[in-house]
Amino acid sequence: MADETAPSPSTPPRAPAALTAAPGYQVRRLYQAYLAVWIRAVDPTLTGPQFAVLQAVDSAPGHDQRSMASAVALDTSTMADVARRLEKRGLIVRRTAADDGRRKLLYLTEEGERTLHDANSRARRLDERLLEPFGAERREEIVHLLTSLADHWEGLTEDA
């Protein structure tokens, strides 16, 4: 017989232990919280993927969309959409490669450089806040562990 005691509507149910023990669940929680704080702390209109593309284009101007997609962990169709949006906002220009009309080479505009500079300083402050509970040595260790985990999980997608 089921328990007939109605749960309190003011108390949300807890996630089951089987769920909270799953690394994917915890990663999703981290990402959801990160998105929410990014909007408030960094930029309400510049998305994380857009910011990553601006960073990559700044560090390697004139590279094509496909190589930039790989550099920022986006699939090529998402990269094309992100690049189109950034171009529409006047933050990058896409030029057709002289040797291959299908390749689009990416460059920051002056507005893109300003936007990246402003967002980058806020993003670095957010990084500090995100890892605030840990000392400098632990922060480096945590970033290393996250990088190792991401590399491993990306490798699993290639095996599938």
Side-chain angles (χ1 to χ4, degrees):
M1 178 185 272
D3 182 11
E4 294 184 20
T5 307
S8 168
S10 64
T11 307
R14 289 184 157 193
L19 189 57
T20 59
Y25 173 75
Q26 298 302 345
V27 168
R28 189 186 66 73
R29 284 185 58 218
L30 283 169
Y31 188 63
Q32 290 298 112
Y34 179 74
L35 289 177
V37 75
W38 173 277
I39 289 168
R40 290 192 310 271
V42 178
D43 195 299
T45 58
L46 186 70
T47 67
Q50 290 172 348
F51 176 74
V53 170
L54 291 179
Q55 286 274 17
V57 173
D58 183 53
S59 68
H63 280 74
D64 65 277
Q65 279 183 196
R66 181 178 297 271
S67 62
M68 291 293 182
S70 177
V72 297
L74 293 175
D75 62 75
T76 54
S77 62
T78 301
M79 178 63 188
D81 182 54
V82 168
R84 222 177 350 267
R85 290 172 189 262
L86 290 172
E87 185 177 44
K88 213 176 223 184
R89 288 182 58 190
L91 303 179
I92 65 168
V93 291
R94 297 186 303 163
R95 297 187 184 129
T96 303
D99 63 337
D100 183 351
R102 296 170 296 175
R103 289 179 51 230
K104 300 294 182 203
L105 310 179
L106 305 179
Y107 301 88
L108 288 182
T109 63
E110 286 184 25
E111 181 62 24
E113 289 174 3
R114 275 192 298 277
T115 299
L116 175 60
H117 179 268
D118 293 345
N120 193 44
S121 60
R122 290 188 300 271
R124 298 298 67 85
R125 284 193 300 272
L126 175 59
D127 289 346
E128 288 295 317
R129 286 180 56 207
L130 293 171
L131 297 175
E132 192 173 46
F134 307 100
E137 190 174 298
R138 288 284 321 270
R139 291 176 190 187
E140 194 173 310
E141 176 188 355
I142 289 167
V143 171
H144 176 74
L145 288 170
L146 290 170
T147 302
S148 296
L149 190 59
D151 291 345
H152 175 66
W153 287 17
E154 284 176 348
L156 294 174
T157 65
E158 295 165 6
D159 296 342

